Amino acid sequence: MATRWGICGAGKISHDFCVALRTLSNEDHQIVAVASRSLESAEKFAKTHSIPKAYGSYQELAKDPNIDVLYIGVVHTHHLQVGLLFLNAGKNVLCEKPFAMNLREVRQLVSAARENNVFLMEAVWSRCFPLYAEVGRLLSENTVGEVKMVKAYFGLPLLDRERSTQKEQGGGALMDIGIYCLQFALMVFKGERPESIHATGVLLPSGVDESMVVVLKFSGNRMAVCVCSIACDLPNDATICGSKGMIRVAHPMHCPTVLELNGKKTEFPLPEPGLPLNFTNSTGLRYEAEEVRRCLLKGLKESIKMSLTDSELLTEIMDEARRQVGVVYDQDSQ
């Protein structure tokens, strides 16, 4: 039986997710419905992606009995409200990153998933890439010895995009792209809670972070340095430095296709898209869809690749980094 997907949101990331799904077998994945706050937008999206049903409200999507799992691709300030709607309707959910605006909101989503006994996963798609699996294998085999330092960079010139710069839309470098650097460090250190978090950054007039550097110190004198910016391009790679060598995830580290082990390159090519994409390497969204199907077929309620505990720790670190730099969203005072 195919996994039947419902798509919440008719924006750019939902478009790319649907294009990625089309690179997988129709016997395994089918897109059965899409919903937007505007029926016209939903119908246009449905036509582009050959989706049989279009809804002009998220409530209608939540009530559709022919959906196995919902993909949430709306702006993250709405993740809590929309996520709770679907979870409380008994739907399995794959929700775009960042999961929600802060730890309090993330815990509400996790509680709702557990109360309704449904699957929930934060769509940190990076974690599902074959290259990340290879990094995990290399680390488990102690290929570079004891890991001492992790460095991850992600910067893009996004100051002309309201979604990235406005507080009301959950903007800021950390929430938008810095999350990828932090999740990489946490993956390398197997979800361990850091002993200390030190963050510094600069703010835009809107009150969100233009650039931020987060330094995490872990047990055993191990460290991670995460650098993000929406003001300029950065190297956008990630490096794991060990006592016996180095692993480098080449640009773009959040959706990578090239891995270097002590300078020797290995490539992990992606399938070609059937339609133009909005974002880099987006056919790689197929890997998180495959992971969701694997979990659903096994009756799992969360994924080991990006567990709910992983999401809670990631959010907790972002909350603390924002507190130190002075980034406060309306949701933080509720």
Side-chain angles (χ1 to χ4, degrees):
M1 287 285 288
T3 298
R4 300 168 300 176
W5 289 88
I7 307 296
C8 173
K12 290 180 178 179
I13 192 64
S14 293
H15 167 89
D16 284 14
F17 185 75
C18 290
V19 174
L21 280 176
R22 296 294 188 210
T23 68
L24 297 167
S25 168
N26 197 45
E27 293 178 5
D28 291 340
H29 297 270
Q30 292 175 9
I31 311 169
V32 297
V34 59
S36 171
R37 286 178 296 180
S38 149
L39 180 59
E40 186 183 356
S41 294
E43 287 174 341
K44 184 180 175 186
F45 190 95
K47 187 177 179 183
T48 300
H49 295 281
S50 304
I51 301 171
K53 282 185 191 168
Y55 297 119
S57 75
Y58 303 145
Q59 287 78 7
E60 291 172 280
L61 188 64
K63 290 174 186 171
D64 189 324
N66 299 312
I67 291 172
D68 297 313
V69 57
L70 282 156
Y71 170 78
I72 297 178
V74 299
V75 66
H76 44 274
T77 48
H78 295 157
H79 284 181
L80 176 66
Q81 179 189 2
V82 177
L84 290 177
L85 171 70
F86 295 141
L87 294 168
N88 289 328
K91 298 294 191 202
N92 299 304
V93 168
L94 173 66
C95 179
E96 257 315 325
K97 48 58 62 181
F99 222 169
M101 293 302 293
N102 52 38
L103 183 59
R104 178 184 58 78
E105 289 196 351
V106 168
R107 284 180 170 159
Q108 283 182 261
L109 290 170
V110 171
S111 294
R114 290 181 174 147
E115 283 166 16
N116 291 286
N117 195 33
V118 290
F119 175 87
L120 176 63
M121 180 180 178
E122 182 179 13
V124 180
W125 61 318
S126 318
R127 291 277 179 108
C128 301
F129 269 65
L131 188 149
Y132 270 57
E134 178 64 8
V135 169
R137 186 187 71 80
L138 293 171
L139 292 174
S140 68
E141 293 177 1
N142 211 29
T143 309
V144 294
E146 185 187 358
V147 174
K148 301 301 290 182
M149 177 74 72
V150 173
K151 298 182 292 178
Y153 300 88
F154 198 171
L156 295 169
L158 301 173
L159 294 179
D160 59 340
R161 291 193 194 173
E162 258 191 29
R163 187 181 65 79
S164 298
T165 60
Q166 296 307 307
K167 186 182 281 192
E168 298 72 30
Q169 297 193 45
L174 185 69
M175 294 284 271
D176 196 8
I177 56 182
I179 184 173
Y180 286 117
C181 302
L182 290 173
Q183 68 79 27
F184 183 83
L186 292 176
M187 180 197 73
V188 172
F189 292 128
K190 299 186 173 67
E192 183 182 317
R193 179 180 295 276
E195 290 180 346
S196 68
I197 302 161
H198 292 283
T200 186
V202 291
L203 303 184
L204 291 169
S206 63
V208 304
D209 50 310
E210 177 185 282
S211 301
M212 196 183 293
V213 179
V214 183
V215 179
L216 306 175
K217 183 181 171 189
F218 293 86
S219 64
N221 296 328
R222 298 167 302 154
M223 297 184 73
V225 180
C226 301
V227 184
C228 60
S229 179
I230 52 171
C232 60
D233 283 309
L234 288 174
N236 297 359
D237 62 354
T239 310
I240 302 165
C241 307
S243 56
K244 293 191 216 162
M246 193 178 295
I247 298 167
R248 179 173 171 265
V249 177
H251 167 91
M253 59 77 66
H254 70 298
C255 50
T257 59
V258 178
L259 179 69
E260 293 179 19
L261 174 60
N262 298 324
K264 185 185 175 188
K265 290 185 181 180
T266 306
E267 295 198 12
F268 296 78
L270 285 165
E272 288 298 312
L275 288 170
L277 297 168
N278 294 300
F279 303 107
T280 305
N281 289 353
S282 280
T283 51
L285 291 162
R286 75 201 300 258
Y287 301 126
E288 65 181 8
E290 288 182 305
E291 173 62 9
V292 170
R293 175 171 167 81
R294 184 190 72 81
C295 291
L296 294 180
L297 290 175
K298 287 193 167 185
L300 301 174
K301 302 305 175 190
E302 58 184 296
S303 164
I304 195 169
K305 291 189 176 179
M306 189 66 201
S307 71
L308 298 176
T309 301
D310 288 338
S311 291
E312 286 181 331
L313 179 58
L314 177 60
T315 311
E316 192 176 338
I317 292 169
M318 290 199 296
D319 282 3
E320 175 58 21
R322 288 197 296 110
R323 186 192 68 77
Q324 291 182 23
V325 176
V327 180
V328 182
Y329 297 110
D330 292 344
Q331 292 83 354
D332 294 328
S333 59
Q334 289 171 11

